[in-house]
Coordinates of all heavy atoms in Angstrom, one line a residue:
S236 N 37.1 165.3 81.0 CA 37.4 166.7 81.1 C 36.1 167.5 81.3 O 35.1 167.2 80.7 CB 38.1 167.2 79.9 OG 39.4 166.5 79.8
G237 N 36.2 168.6 82.1 CA 35.1 169.5 82.3 C 35.1 170.7 81.4 O 35.4 170.5 80.2
C238 N 34.8 171.8 81.9 CA 34.7 173.1 81.1 C 35.9 173.3 80.2 O 37.1 173.1 80.6 CB 34.6 174.2 82.1 SG 34.6 175.8 81.3
E239 N 35.6 173.7 79.0 CA 36.7 174.0 78.0 C 36.7 175.5 77.6 O 37.4 175.9 76.7 CB 36.4 173.2 76.7 CG 36.5 171.7 76.9 CD 36.2 170.9 75.7 OE1 35.6 171.4 74.8 OE2 36.7 169.7 75.6
C240 N 36.0 176.3 78.4 CA 36.0 177.7 78.1 C 37.4 178.3 78.4 O 38.1 177.9 79.3 CB 35.0 178.4 79.0 SG 33.3 178.0 78.7
P241 N 37.8 179.3 77.6 CA 39.0 180.0 77.9 C 39.1 180.6 79.3 O 38.1 180.9 79.9 CB 39.0 181.2 76.9 CG 38.1 180.7 75.8 CD 37.0 179.9 76.5
P242 N 40.3 180.6 79.9 CA 40.4 181.0 81.3 C 40.0 182.5 81.5 O 39.7 182.9 82.7 CB 41.9 180.8 81.6 CG 42.5 180.7 80.3 CD 41.5 180.1 79.4
T243 N 39.9 183.3 80.4 CA 39.5 184.7 80.6 C 38.0 184.8 80.7 O 37.5 185.9 81.1 CB 39.9 185.4 79.3 OG1 39.4 184.8 78.1 CG2 41.4 185.5 79.2
F244 N 37.2 183.7 80.5 CA 35.7 183.8 80.6 C 35.4 183.9 82.1 O 35.8 183.0 82.9 CB 35.0 182.6 80.0 CG 34.9 182.7 78.5 CD1 35.8 183.4 77.7 CD2 33.9 182.1 77.8 CE1 35.7 183.5 76.3 CE2 33.7 182.1 76.4 CZ 34.7 182.9 75.7
P245 N 34.5 184.8 82.5 CA 34.1 184.9 83.9 C 33.3 183.7 84.4 O 33.3 183.3 85.5 CB 33.4 186.2 84.0 CG 32.8 186.4 82.6 CD 33.9 185.9 81.7
V246 N 32.5 183.1 83.5 CA 31.6 182.0 83.8 C 31.7 181.0 82.7 O 32.0 181.4 81.5 CB 30.2 182.4 84.1 CG1 30.1 183.2 85.3 CG2 29.6 183.1 82.9
C247 N 31.4 179.8 83.0 CA 31.3 178.7 81.9 C 30.1 178.9 81.0 O 29.0 179.1 81.5 CB 31.3 177.3 82.6 SG 31.0 176.0 81.4
V248 N 30.4 178.9 79.7 CA 29.3 179.0 78.7 C 29.2 177.7 77.9 O 28.3 177.5 77.1 CB 29.5 180.2 77.8 CG1 29.4 181.5 78.6 CG2 30.8 180.1 77.0
C249 N 30.3 176.8 78.0 CA 30.2 175.6 77.2 C 29.4 174.5 77.8 O 28.8 173.6 77.1 CB 31.7 175.1 76.9 SG 32.4 174.3 78.4
G250 N 29.2 174.5 79.1 CA 28.4 173.6 79.8 C 28.9 172.2 79.9 O 28.2 171.3 80.3
K251 N 30.1 172.0 79.5 CA 30.7 170.6 79.5 C 31.1 170.2 80.9 O 31.7 170.9 81.6 CB 31.9 170.6 78.5 CG 32.5 169.2 78.4 CD 33.7 169.1 77.5 CE 34.2 167.7 77.5 NZ 35.5 167.6 76.8
K252 N 30.7 169.0 81.2 CA 31.0 168.4 82.5 C 31.6 167.0 82.3 O 31.2 166.3 81.3 CB 29.8 168.3 83.4 CG 29.1 169.6 83.7 CD 28.0 169.5 84.7 CE 27.3 170.8 84.9 NZ 28.2 171.7 85.6
P253 N 32.5 166.6 83.1 CA 33.0 165.2 83.0 C 32.0 164.2 83.2 O 31.1 164.3 84.0 CB 34.1 165.2 84.1 CG 33.7 166.2 85.1 CD 33.0 167.3 84.3
I254 N 32.0 163.1 82.4 CA 31.0 162.1 82.5 C 31.7 160.8 82.9 O 31.0 159.8 83.2 CB 30.2 161.9 81.2 CG1 31.0 161.3 80.1 CG2 29.5 163.2 80.8 CD1 30.1 160.8 78.9
V255 N 33.0 160.7 82.9 CA 33.7 159.5 83.3 C 34.9 159.9 84.2 O 35.3 161.1 84.1 CB 34.2 158.6 82.2 CG1 33.0 158.2 81.3 CG2 35.3 159.3 81.4
K256 N 35.4 159.0 84.9 CA 36.7 159.2 85.6 C 37.6 158.1 85.4 O 37.1 156.9 85.2 CB 36.5 159.4 87.1 CG 35.9 158.2 87.8 CD 35.8 158.5 89.3 CE 35.3 157.2 90.1 NZ 35.1 157.4 91.5
P257 N 38.9 158.3 85.3 CA 39.8 157.2 85.0 C 39.9 156.3 86.3 O 39.9 156.8 87.4 CB 41.2 157.9 84.8 CG 41.1 159.2 85.4 CD 39.6 159.6 85.3
V258 N 40.0 155.0 86.1 CA 40.1 154.0 87.2 C 41.6 153.9 87.5 O 42.0 153.7 88.7 CB 39.5 152.7 86.8 CG1 39.8 151.6 87.9 CG2 38.0 152.9 86.6
T259 N 42.5 153.9 86.5 CA 43.9 153.8 86.7 C 44.6 154.9 85.9 O 44.1 155.3 84.8 CB 44.5 152.5 86.3 OG1 44.2 152.3 84.9 CG2 43.9 151.3 87.1
K260 N 45.6 155.5 86.5 CA 46.3 156.6 85.8 C 47.1 156.1 84.6 O 47.2 156.8 83.6 CB 47.3 157.3 86.7 CG 46.6 158.1 87.8 CD 47.6 158.9 88.7 CE 46.9 159.7 89.7 NZ 47.9 160.5 90.6
K261 N 47.6 154.9 84.7 CA 48.4 154.3 83.6 C 47.7 153.0 83.1 O 47.0 152.4 83.9 CB 49.8 154.0 84.0 CG 50.6 155.3 84.3 CD 52.1 154.9 84.7 CE 52.9 156.2 84.9 NZ 54.3 155.8 85.2
P262 N 47.9 152.6 81.9 CA 47.3 151.4 81.4 C 47.8 150.1 82.2 O 49.0 150.1 82.7 CB 47.7 151.3 80.0 CG 49.0 152.1 79.9 CD 48.8 153.2 80.8
I263 N 47.0 149.1 82.3 CA 47.3 147.9 83.0 C 48.0 147.0 81.9 O 47.5 146.8 80.9 CB 46.1 147.2 83.6 CG1 45.4 148.1 84.6 CG2 46.5 145.9 84.2 CD1 44.1 147.6 85.1
L264 N 49.2 146.5 82.3 CA 50.0 145.7 81.3 C 49.9 144.2 81.8 O 49.6 143.9 83.0 CB 51.4 146.1 81.3 CG 51.6 147.6 81.0 CD1 53.1 148.0 81.0 CD2 51.0 148.0 79.6
P265 N 50.2 143.3 80.9 CA 50.1 141.8 81.2 C 51.2 141.5 82.2 O 52.3 142.1 82.2 CB 50.3 141.1 79.9 CG 51.0 142.1 79.0 CD 50.4 143.5 79.4
S266 N 50.9 140.6 83.1 CA 51.9 140.2 84.1 C 52.9 139.2 83.4 O 52.7 138.7 82.3 CB 51.2 139.4 85.3 OG 50.6 138.2 84.8
E267 N 54.0 138.9 84.1 CA 55.0 138.0 83.6 C 54.4 136.6 83.5 O 54.7 135.9 82.5 CB 56.2 137.9 84.6 CG 57.0 139.2 84.6 CD 57.6 139.5 83.2 OE1 58.0 138.5 82.5 OE2 57.7 140.7 82.8
V268 N 53.5 136.2 84.4 CA 52.8 134.9 84.3 C 52.0 134.9 83.0 O 52.0 133.9 82.3 CB 51.9 134.7 85.5 CG1 51.1 133.4 85.4 CG2 52.8 134.6 86.8
E269 N 51.2 135.9 82.7 CA 50.4 135.9 81.5 C 51.2 135.9 80.3 O 50.9 135.2 79.3 CB 49.5 137.1 81.5 CG 48.6 137.1 80.3 CD 47.4 138.1 80.3 OE1 47.3 138.8 81.3 OE2 46.6 138.1 79.4
L270 N 52.4 136.5 80.3 CA 53.2 136.5 79.1 C 53.7 135.1 78.8 O 53.9 134.8 77.6 CB 54.4 137.5 79.3 CG 54.1 139.0 79.3 CD1 55.3 139.8 79.7 CD2 53.6 139.4 78.0
V271 N 53.9 134.3 79.8 CA 54.3 132.9 79.6 C 53.2 132.1 79.0 O 53.4 131.3 78.0 CB 54.8 132.3 80.9 CG1 55.1 130.8 80.7 CG2 56.0 133.0 81.4
T272 N 52.0 132.3 79.5 CA 50.8 131.5 79.1 C 50.2 132.0 77.8 O 49.5 131.3 77.1 CB 49.8 131.3 80.2 OG1 49.3 132.7 80.6 CG2 50.4 130.7 81.4
N273 N 50.3 133.3 77.6 CA 49.7 134.0 76.5 C 50.6 135.0 75.8 O 50.5 136.2 76.0 CB 48.4 134.7 76.9 CG 47.6 135.3 75.8 OD1 47.8 135.0 74.6 ND2 46.8 136.3 76.1
P274 N 51.6 134.6 75.0 CA 52.6 135.5 74.5 C 52.0 136.6 73.6 O 52.6 137.7 73.5 CB 53.5 134.5 73.6 CG 53.3 133.2 74.2 CD 51.9 133.2 74.7
R275 N 50.8 136.4 73.1 CA 50.2 137.4 72.2 C 49.8 138.6 73.0 O 49.4 139.7 72.5 CB 49.0 136.8 71.4 CG 49.5 136.0 70.3 CD 48.3 135.4 69.5 NE 48.7 134.7 68.3 CZ 48.0 134.0 67.5 NH1 46.7 133.8 67.9 NH2 48.4 133.4 66.4

Side-chain angles (χ1 to χ4, degrees):
S236 300
C238 174
E239 295 177 339
C240 295
T243 55
F244 280 28
V246 295
C247 173
V248 295
C249 74
K251 184 181 179 187
K252 298 183 183 298
I254 70 168
V255 303
K256 64 179 182 180
V258 173
T259 57
K260 290 184 178 180
K261 294 184 178 181
I263 300 169
L264 304 179
S266 67
E267 291 299 323
V268 173
E269 181 165 4
L270 290 174
V271 173
T272 58
N273 181 20
R275 284 179 173 169

